[in-house]
């Protein structure tokens, strides 16, 4: 029997269904999470062969030790996955530690996490991208803003969802942003594109065959000219908080399909 280590199988709540499908396909599903075992939904517990609680999923040493215990108890791990963008890096690091060739490896991460590295790949495939500039200083950023026109959007080059993204409408806001920006965190400045976001998601098997597909359209709302989302959807599906200042901070990249950013 193949072993599948599922990181945080209880969050989001519907992830128990992934565990059920894996079990139905003959996998031994081994969970690791920060929630107490007695807090897990019964539907999830019925799919898991075992579960370990750690104090913090972000702690690599704890996670490594938990996976090692599973190896000792059940044999080599075949798959390890959180199915969560927030933990992409740690998932890859754990795969490397246990010599797992399934899933993304550490060397794969730059082009799937860094927006500035993604764009050339899209362009090579003939897909247009928003013009951008890697944030450096006022002179060069202002020159880019003058070229594409205000407003511009600034966001972390390596980020998830729309965390810490904001819209700048003039040179004064650009200067204010640069004063509070920490150069240790690379940021990207992009031209502001008005339009409608459409998403197409599909489940594809190892042969490249489609099994299920879904298309979503993200509608635009505005909040004070700064940011736009269906706040009820966010509260319901991701538990994120909208503080003052017009910047939406999301703990993990789990935005509802109907939630979209228009004017950041």
């Amino acid at each position: 029997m193949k072993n599948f280590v599922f990181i945080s199988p209880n969050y989001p709540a519907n992830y128990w269904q992934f565990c059920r499908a894996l079990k139905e396909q003959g996998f031994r599903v081994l969970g690791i999470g920060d929630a107490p075992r007695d807090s897990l939904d019964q539907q999830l517990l019925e799919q898991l062969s075992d579960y370990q609680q750690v104090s913090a999923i972000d702690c690599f040493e704890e996670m490594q030790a938990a996976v090692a215990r599973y190896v000792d108890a059940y044999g080599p791990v075949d798959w390890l996955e959180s199915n969560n963008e927030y933990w992409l890096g740690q998932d890859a690091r754990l795969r490397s530690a246990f010599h797992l060739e399934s899933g993304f490896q550490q060397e794969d991460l730059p082009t799937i996490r860094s927006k500035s590295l993604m764009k050339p790949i899209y362009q090579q495939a003939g897909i247009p991208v928003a013009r951008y500039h890697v944030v450096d200083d006022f002179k060069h950023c202002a020159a880019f803003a003058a070229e594409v026109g205000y407003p511009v959007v600034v966001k972390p080059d390596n980020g998830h969802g729309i965390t810490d993204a904001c819209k700048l409408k003039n040179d004064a806001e650009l200067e204010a942003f640069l004063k509070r920006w920490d150069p240790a965190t690379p940021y990207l400045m992009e031209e502001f594109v008005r339009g409608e976001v459409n998403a197409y998601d599909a489940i594809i098997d190892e042969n490249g065959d489609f099994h299920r597909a879904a298309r979503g359209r993200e509608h635009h709302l505005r909040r004070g000219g700064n940011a736009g989302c269906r706040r009820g959807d966010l509260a319901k599906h991701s538990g994120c908080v909208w503080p003052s200042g017009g910047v939406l901070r999301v703990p993990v990249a789990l935005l509802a399909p109907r939630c979209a950013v228009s004017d950041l």
Side-chain angles (χ1 to χ4, degrees), residues 193-252:
V193 179
R194 290 177 173 82
E196 185 176 74
V197 178
N198 286 275
Y200 185 86
D201 296 296
I203 297 175
I204 304 173
D205 65 18
E206 67 273 17
N207 300 315
D209 296 324
F210 286 80
H211 286 266
R212 186 169 298 178
R215 182 177 179 180
R217 175 174 294 176
E218 300 182 345
H219 300 286
H220 293 181
L221 294 176
R222 292 194 176 100
R223 176 180 182 269
N226 289 323
C229 272
R230 293 185 183 274
R231 298 175 71 187
D233 288 344
L234 286 169
K236 178 179 179 182
H237 295 281
S238 66
C240 63
V241 177
W242 204 322
S244 60
V247 177
L248 179 65
R249 300 181 184 276
V250 187
V252 290

Side-chain angles (χ1 to χ4, degrees), residues 50-257:
D50 204 344
Y51 178 79
Q52 294 185 63
Q53 180 186 358
V54 295
S55 62
I57 295 177
D58 286 336
C59 179
F60 176 78
E61 289 72 21
E62 273 198 80
M63 296 296 292
Q64 185 179 33
V67 176
R69 286 191 290 271
Y70 278 148
V71 172
D72 290 341
Y74 301 103
V77 171
D78 298 284
W79 288 84
L80 182 148
E81 181 62 66
S82 66
N83 205 26
N84 192 310
E85 182 184 1
Y86 183 78
W87 289 306
L88 271 175
Q90 181 161 268
D91 287 354
R93 189 179 175 191
L94 286 167
R95 292 188 194 103
S96 296
F98 291 92
H99 310 291
L100 301 180
E101 295 183 359
S102 56
F104 288 122
Q105 304 297 306
Q106 286 184 285
E107 60 268 24
D108 299 322
L109 294 181
T111 53
I112 64 173
R113 296 301 302 270
S114 170
K115 298 175 180 64
S116 61
L117 294 179
M118 291 178 196
K119 287 177 180 286
I121 295 175
Y122 280 112
Q123 290 174 315
Q124 289 171 17
I127 301 172
V129 300
R131 289 172 290 178
Y132 72 99
H133 173 74
V134 177
V135 172
D136 44 14
D137 55 29
F138 179 82
K139 176 183 176 181
H140 293 97
C141 288
F144 172 77
E147 176 187 346
V148 301
Y150 280 110
V152 294
V153 174
V154 290
K155 54 190 174 184
D157 188 24
N158 182 349
H160 55 275
I162 56 174
T163 304
D164 293 328
C166 61
K167 183 182 73 174
L168 307 177
K169 299 189 288 294
N170 50 51
D171 283 352
E173 291 188 359
L174 170 59
E175 191 170 10
F177 165 76
L178 290 172
K179 286 181 179 178
R180 65 178 184 270
W181 168 56
D182 179 2
T185 302
Y187 260 68
L188 205 64
M189 175 181 287
E190 293 181 320
E191 63 178 319
F192 186 84
V193 179
R194 290 177 173 82
E196 185 176 74
V197 178
N198 286 275
Y200 185 86
D201 296 296
I203 297 175
I204 304 173
D205 65 18
E206 67 273 17
N207 300 315
D209 296 324
F210 286 80
H211 286 266
R212 186 169 298 178
R215 182 177 179 180
R217 175 174 294 176
E218 300 182 345
H219 300 286
H220 293 181
L221 294 176
R222 292 194 176 100
R223 176 180 182 269
N226 289 323
C229 272
R230 293 185 183 274
R231 298 175 71 187
D233 288 344
L234 286 169
K236 178 179 179 182
H237 295 281
S238 66
C240 63
V241 177
W242 204 322
S244 60
V247 177
L248 179 65
R249 300 181 184 276
V250 187
V252 290
L254 297 172
L255 298 181

Side-chain angles (χ1 to χ4, degrees), residues 15-32:
Y15 272 19
W16 74 270
Q17 297 178 78
F18 285 107
C19 298
R20 179 183 62 187
L22 288 165
K23 183 178 180 181
E24 290 174 350
Q25 293 298 315
F27 284 90
R28 178 187 288 115
V29 186
L30 307 168
I32 302 176

